[in-house]
């Protein structure tokens, strides 16, 4: 007879592989064929659908829920723990023979787990987009939760709440830290608490994006090096774009390590020792040595260049700052532009700060509008991110555009840059001013020429929307539903 089996233990290490070996040997001794899928900590190589279809029975030797169990629906099944397979493989094979001859109830569906919808048979371009969208899907809840909490903190406490709270790096400005909760409450009140919680959620954006890009590529073993790489991208100033690089690096390195042929006895320690150690070391080294320093040098050069342009035409400088604000949405280039605006603010030039703030508002606003105008151009996860984009954009939280840019960077980022450049140029040409370094719509009462400021934001939003939809119409009629990664219950996307 032909059998298939799935083995899985709680840790996904030794017993998973020991049970697989015991079943294979017992089946061979009884004159049967057996193929085993090990769902261990190193991930799994799913059984071929054709092999499952021709199997006479299925053996589940697992102490945890079997992933994708519905693949075996309708097949005669034998269910036991991994220790039963290790200690009495021959007995389970005998049960499988009996089940095949008599028939049993269909397999029950599996419980929801972390999942990504990556088509292994698709071309590289499609798989790349699916890897990126896996990271986006798991990042969206952090964007929504963190961004809305920060917006509420500005609404309650005003833009100065960031300086009162401190202890973080928000839009490129580092403030002294709050040492305890009583200081936080006394200095900033409930607005400070909301800002602190939201800022911590935002600090997780790049690590989560990076970790789950790697997960989409290499399954669970990719998460640890991906998250560490994302943390280093933030620490070195590489930001969102660095997170994309670290996620892809982590996935590639982990995939390479998983393909190494090792003895079955060594396979148990690979996922908990070798793979995380080597992959994290390699990715961390590359992020620190290769990615961080060049970006830091680029920041310094950009800042010096902007200082040399500040005496030129206001609208040209506004357009340039707009391009920079939208380029990496909270990353190092964005921070150079924002820091330049702060320096201008300190010197009494309020126009630059107004241009920077308006240009940072239009990316999420334009994308939110685009998801309303042409819903079929966006995945369900992106449409949900667009709903949060209205509040994030109005609150000058440019990071609200990251979920869209991460999934389709070559079309989205240039579109955002065009809209933000338009906004920055208009604000500077209108002579609108802002003495507040942050706050968006919530500080409109402090803005000089507020109607013209809002007009510039509205025009930039429409331009962004138009450019995004135009770019989306090139090469693809619809965003394929299959490319949208989510959990099996769609809980993460929600």
């Amino acid at each position: 007879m032909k059998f298939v089996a799935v083995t899985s233990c709680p840790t996904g290490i030794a017993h998973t592989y020991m049970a697989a070996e015991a079943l294979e040997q017992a089946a061979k001794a009884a004159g049967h064929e057996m193929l085993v899928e090990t769902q261990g900590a190193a991930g799994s190589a799913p059984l071929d659908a054709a092999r499952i279809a021709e199997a006479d029975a299925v053996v589940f030797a697992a102490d945890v829920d079997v992933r994708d169990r519905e693949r075996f629906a309708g097949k005669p099944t034998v269910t036991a723990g991994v220790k039963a397979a290790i200690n009495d493989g021959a007995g389970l094979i005998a049960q499988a023979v009996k089940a095949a001859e008599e028939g049993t109830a269909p397999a029950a569906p599996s419980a929801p787990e972390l999942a990504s919808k990556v088509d292994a048979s698709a071309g590289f371009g499609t798989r790349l987009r699916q890897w990126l969208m896996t990271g986006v899907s798991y990042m969206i809840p952090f964007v929504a939760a963190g961004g809305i909490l920060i917006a509420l903190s500005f609404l309650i406490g005003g833009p100065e709440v960031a300086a009162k709270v401190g202890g973080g790096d928000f839009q490129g400005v580092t403030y002294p830290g709050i040492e305890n909760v009583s200081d936080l409450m006394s200095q900033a009140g409930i607005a400070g608490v909301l800002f602190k919680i939201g800022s911590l959620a935002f600090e997780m954006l790049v690590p989560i994006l990076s970790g789950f890009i790697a997960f989409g590529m290499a399954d669970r073993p990719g998460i640890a090096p991906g998250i560490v790489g994302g943390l280093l991208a933030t620490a070195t100033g590489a930001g969102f774009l660095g997170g994309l690089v670290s996620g892809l690096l982590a996935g590639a390195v982990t995939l390479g390590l998983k393909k190494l042929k090792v003895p079955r006895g060594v396979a148990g320690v690979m996922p908990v020792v070798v793979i995380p150690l080597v992959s994290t070391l390699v990715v961390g080294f590359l992020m620190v040595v290769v990615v961080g320093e060049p970006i830091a040098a680029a920041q310094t050069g950009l800042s010096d260049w902007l200082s040399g342009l500040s005496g030129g035409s206001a609208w040209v400088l506004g357009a340039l700052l707009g391009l920079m604000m939208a380029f990496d949405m909270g990353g190092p280039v964005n921070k150079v532009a924002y820091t330049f605006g702060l320096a201008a603010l300190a010197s009494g030039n309020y126009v630059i700060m107004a241009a920077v703030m308006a240009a940072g508002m239009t990316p999420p606003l334009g994308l939110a509008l685009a998801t309303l105008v042409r819903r079929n151009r966006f995945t369900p996860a992106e449409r949900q991110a667009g709903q949060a984009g209205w509040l994030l954009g109005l609150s000058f939280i440019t990071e609200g555009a990251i979920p869209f840019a991460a999934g389709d960077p070559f079309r989205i980022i240039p579109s955002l840059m065009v809209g933000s450049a338009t906004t920055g140029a208009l604000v500077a040409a209108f002579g609108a001013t802002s003495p507040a370094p942050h706050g968006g719509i919530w500080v409109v009462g402090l803005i000089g020429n507020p109607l013209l400021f809002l007009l510039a934001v509205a025009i930039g939003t429409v331009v962004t929307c138009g450019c995004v939809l135009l770019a989306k119409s090139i090469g693809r009629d619809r965003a394929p539903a299959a490319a949208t990664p989510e959990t099996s219950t769609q809980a993460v996307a929600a």
Side-chain angles (χ1 to χ4, degrees), residues 185-248:
M185 289 296 294
S186 63
Q187 294 188 35
I190 187 64
V193 174
L194 294 176
F195 181 87
K196 194 69 172 179
I197 296 171
S199 297
L200 288 173
F202 257 39
E203 289 178 11
M204 293 303 299
L205 294 187
V206 173
I208 292 297
L209 173 67
S210 176
F212 282 95
I213 289 173
F215 166 71
M217 296 176 67
D219 210 344
R220 285 184 292 174
I223 294 178
I227 288 179
V228 172
L231 289 168
L232 289 171
T234 301
T236 58
F240 151 64
L241 296 177
L244 293 180
V245 173
S246 66
L248 294 171

Side-chain angles (χ1 to χ4, degrees), residues 373-396:
V373 174
R374 295 297 297 274
R375 288 176 56 84
N376 66 329
R377 300 290 182 189
F378 301 90
T379 66
E382 288 173 329
R383 292 197 291 269
Q384 291 168 356
Q387 295 173 9
W390 292 109
L391 181 57
L392 301 182
L394 290 173
S395 302
F396 181 30

Side-chain angles (χ1 to χ4, degrees), residues 236 287-299:
T236 58
M287 292 305 297
V288 171
V289 176
V290 178
V291 176
E293 290 187 7
I295 290 181
Q299 280 188 273

Side-chain angles (χ1 to χ4, degrees), residues 4-6 37 39 47 52 58 60 66-77 106-107:
V4 293
V6 179
E37 176 182 320
Q39 295 188 354
L47 289 164
I52 295 174
V58 182
F60 293 124
V66 173
R67 297 197 297 273
D68 299 326
R69 189 165 174 162
E70 63 274 6
R71 293 174 294 162
F72 307 95
K75 289 289 180 181
T77 62

Side-chain angles (χ1 to χ4, degrees), residues 35 95 330 484:
L35 287 180
Q95 292 182 43
T484 306

